[in-house]
Amino acid sequence: QVQLVESGGGLVQAGGSLRLSCAASGSIWRIDAMAWYRQAPGKQRELVASITGGSSTNYVDSVKGRFTIDRDNGKKTMYLQMSSLKPEDTAVYYCNANIRATWSEPYREYWGQGTQVTVSS
């Protein structure tokens, strides 16, 4: 019943900005770490940014200084603010979260369906 839904993707020119959102819904007891991944055509999925339950963040080197990951625990939503976008940022961006459905269940990883980000030169 747990679902992650991304939104905010689209087409933007190089140098522009986009804000991605990932909303969690369904049977949720707690959400621990969350992360954004991306996958470009013909390439391996890569971790872009992560945020712990305590809001500590990490970024892949290629996006440092340009992207900001954040979360709103009350809304069960994670965000990725992307600025100074480059064509190499073009990819499908996926939301990932570690979620406990109930207090008695272990954490499990969930994935969203992805949202397309296309950056034109």
Side-chain angles (χ1 to χ4, degrees):
Q1 292 181 326
V2 174
Q3 294 186 38
L4 300 175
V5 179
E6 303 95 336
S7 62
L11 175 64
V12 64
Q13 293 185 11
S17 300
L18 284 173
R19 189 192 192 211
L20 306 184
S21 298
C22 170
S25 63
S27 180
I28 297 172
W29 180 251
R30 293 179 182 176
I31 305 176
D32 192 23
M34 304 182 78
W36 287 100
Y37 289 78
R38 67 186 180 188
Q39 187 166 24
K43 295 187 177 181
Q44 185 69 37
R45 180 190 65 185
E46 70 169 342
L47 176 64
V48 178
S50 63
I51 184 165
T52 69
S55 297
S56 296
T57 60
N58 283 287
Y59 302 89
V60 67
D61 286 344
S62 61
V63 309
K64 287 181 178 177
R66 300 188 298 118
F67 291 10
T68 301
I69 189 171
D70 198 8
R71 65 192 291 169
D72 185 328
N73 291 329
K75 295 181 178 179
K76 296 182 175 63
T77 301
M78 174 180 63
Y79 307 95
L80 185 67
Q81 179 65 52
M82 304 184 294
S83 300
S84 301
L85 283 162
K86 304 175 180 179
E88 51 261 47
D89 295 318
T90 296
V92 177
Y93 284 70
Y94 296 95
C95 176
N96 172 272
N98 295 280
I99 297 173
R100 293 178 70 177
T102 71
W103 68 269
S104 62
E105 297 295 319
Y107 280 100
R108 293 185 174 89
E109 286 199 354
Y110 294 87
W111 293 89
Q113 292 295 318
T115 185
Q116 177 71 48
V117 172
T118 302
V119 184
S120 62
S121 60

